[in-house]
Amino acid sequence: MNIDRIELRRLQVPLKAPFETSFGRLISRDCILVAVFSEGLAGYAEAVAFHQPFYNEETTGTVWHMLEDFLIPQALGRDLTDPWKVSDWFAGVRRNFMAISSMESALWDLYSKAMGVSLSSALGGTRTEIAVGVSIGIESSIDQVLDNVGHFREQGYQKIKVKIKPGFDIALIAAIRDKFGDGLALMADANSAYTLADLPVLRELDAFGLMMIEQPLAADDLIDHARLQREIATPICLDESIHSSEDVRKAVELGSCKIINIKIGRVGGLAKARAIHDLCAKHTLPVWCGGMLELGVGRAHNIALASLPNFSIAGDTSASNRSFAEDIVTPAVDFCRPGFLAVPTGPGIGYEIEPRALEKFTETKMTFAAR
Ligand code: OSB
Ligand code: MG
């Protein structure tokens, strides 16, 4: 199928409540929606970069630039025959994985709609529903986090992840264990806030039986993560450090982690995410699907990916109402039973765009047509 038109929209969607991590605070979701058109069908995906380069080096602005000036010119007018090979179209582009991923993932949606299959089955998914957890941000007090944990636990979330940073860690985790007990499926995400100099604190965390600690050290430091993993019993899960199957190979060889969080945007698309999933399965490394406070379209892509067999730990793709009062898709991304999201069986991502909500949140829009 020939890609005859591509549309970019920059959206601004307010978050229900501010979301704070060790690297900063978000109050609204500034993101890009990519739409690709062919033969009367439309494929959609979100770019998950934030307005500031605090999670990684990409931003909403750099993603728009990459799409407009490099990726769209490569994709327009091309014949989409095999979505597994789409990332080859962009082989001349270094990094910028979130930008590439948004284009590649939109093409996957388009392709699976054309084939009349769900995105999950196009990817080789095997699950009919996925277990999901929730990621809880840093608050101004431990009590506020405890309230949030209680609230989401009551809703049935299958895993509770709390953001930690130096000075907001041991007492927080101790208070959660104290209030909710050792049975709570609990983990912590540091977003690279620590160094090996913090070893005593990271060792103290071992006492709380966390499922894992996510990305304690720097994004580019597989070596120190390996050192740390030798010193602590809590499994290390890598997020920011893993961009490719090569990164996984090195992390496995060094012993830098025991679990991997896969984010489609961080690794450059669905085909790359699937390859990482397969490689991790080969090394019996469990994986789970990370989240980037996506709108419904991004959540739908995450659900399809998380339906693959080695996604054996509940991911961060919560129901949409965890982050947003209003979303751009219908039906709303919501539990099929407490703590679980159904894997859609309809063609493509299995959710429709709600045009009025889309218009309401659109700040800028640009259309590109094949000549
Ligand atoms: O590190 O997983 C992370 C949000 C923004 C940036 C980084 C991360 C997160 C989350 C949120 O943890 C997960 C979600 O609810 O989508
Ligand atoms: Mg993380």
Side-chain angles (χ1 to χ4, degrees):
M1 49 195 322
N2 213 64
I3 309 305
D4 39 48
R5 190 160 55 90
I6 298 176
E7 183 187 272
L8 296 186
R9 285 171 187 259
R10 185 163 180 165
L11 309 178
Q12 193 73 245
V13 186
L15 289 173
K16 262 185 172 174
F19 186 81
E20 188 171 330
T21 69
S22 60
F23 57 63
R25 191 176 160 90
L26 293 158
I27 53 168
S28 150
R29 192 63 174 102
D30 174 26
C31 68
I32 291 170
L33 183 74
V34 179
V36 292
F37 300 92
S38 176
E39 299 172 9
L41 295 169
Y44 295 95
E46 284 170 50
V48 297
F50 297 107
H51 68 293
Q52 285 173 2
F54 42 26
Y55 170 80
N56 71 351
E57 65 279 13
E58 295 184 81
T59 67
T60 322
T62 69
V63 165
W64 187 289
H65 160 60
M66 291 307 300
L67 285 164
E68 179 175 0
D69 295 331
F70 299 102
L71 307 178
I72 290 175
Q74 278 299 322
L76 266 184
R78 266 185 113 135
D79 188 21
L80 172 63
T81 54
D82 182 358
W84 296 105
K85 299 226 169 88
V86 161
S87 27
D88 297 348
W89 297 2
F90 312 117
V93 176
R94 278 194 200 271
R95 301 284 295 200
N96 291 284
F97 291 146
M98 291 176 174
I100 291 173
S101 172
S102 65
M103 178 60 66
E104 194 248 20
S105 301
L107 291 165
W108 266 102
D109 180 32
L110 178 67
Y111 177 84
S112 34
K113 282 170 177 161
M115 295 295 123
V117 299
S118 68
L119 179 59
S120 163
S121 59
L123 290 168
T126 54
R127 296 172 196 276
T128 56
E129 55 176 36
I130 58 162
V132 294
V134 61
S135 172
I136 296 175
I138 289 168
E139 298 285 349
S140 53
S141 72
I142 288 177
D143 279 346
Q144 185 58 56
V145 179
L146 291 177
D147 282 355
N148 293 345
V149 172
H151 171 74
F152 290 117
R153 193 186 67 136
E154 269 164 36
Q155 289 188 7
Y157 279 102
Q158 300 290 299
K159 183 188 76 178
I160 300 287
K161 157 168 142 181
V162 290
K163 296 288 187 179
I164 58 169
K165 63 177 181 181
F168 196 75
D169 42 32
I170 305 296
L172 171 71
I173 301 295
I176 295 172
R177 278 291 184 231
D178 198 41
K179 181 155 182 193
F180 300 100
D182 292 338
L184 183 73
L186 179 66
M187 63 169 290
D189 185 0
N191 289 108
S192 298
Y194 297 87
T195 70
L196 282 182
D198 300 306
L199 188 57
V201 175
L202 296 167
R203 262 208 200 103
E204 260 187 86
L205 282 175
D206 271 349
F208 301 101
L210 297 177
M211 297 169 77
M212 69 194 91
I213 178 169
E214 183 177 347
Q215 198 69 42
L217 309 178
D220 63 354
D221 205 340
L222 292 178
I223 292 177
D224 281 359
H225 275 107
R227 258 193 216 165
L228 177 62
Q229 186 66 91
R230 285 195 291 274
E231 301 288 329
I232 63 174
T234 306
I236 292 176
C237 169
L238 291 177
D239 172 356
E240 286 93 324
S241 290
I242 302 295
H243 305 97
S244 62
S245 292
E246 268 302 284
D247 287 342
V248 173
R249 178 183 68 77
K250 291 164 191 165
V252 167
E253 244 178 77
L254 290 165
S256 310
C257 65
K258 294 181 177 165
I259 299 169
I260 284 177
N261 155 338
I262 301 182
K263 291 180 180 169
I264 303 163
R266 198 192 64 226
V267 304
L270 285 163
K272 305 276 188 194
R274 164 93 222 208
I276 289 175
H277 161 276
D278 294 354
L279 182 61
C280 289
K282 214 173 102 189
H283 291 292
T284 57
L285 216 55
V287 301
W288 53 277
C289 184
M292 290 290 279
L293 304 170
E294 290 92 345
L295 300 173
V297 169
R299 281 172 209 264
H301 284 271
N302 288 346
I303 293 167
L305 180 71
S307 72
L308 294 173
N310 193 36
F311 281 85
S312 53
I313 299 171
D316 277 352
T317 304
S318 306
S320 177
N321 65 16
R322 181 264 177 277
S323 293
F324 304 104
E326 190 182 356
D327 201 344
I328 59 166
V329 300
T330 177
V333 179
D334 205 355
F335 292 166
C336 53
R337 61 187 173 105
F340 291 83
L341 297 172
V343 179
T345 52
I349 59 174
Y351 290 87
E352 300 293 323
I353 299 286
E354 216 294 291
R356 257 182 313 184
L358 183 64
E359 285 309 324
K360 175 171 154 188
F361 295 125
T362 298
E363 287 197 324
T364 324
K365 175 178 139 178
M366 213 179 267
T367 303
F368 306 83
R371 279 184 290 161

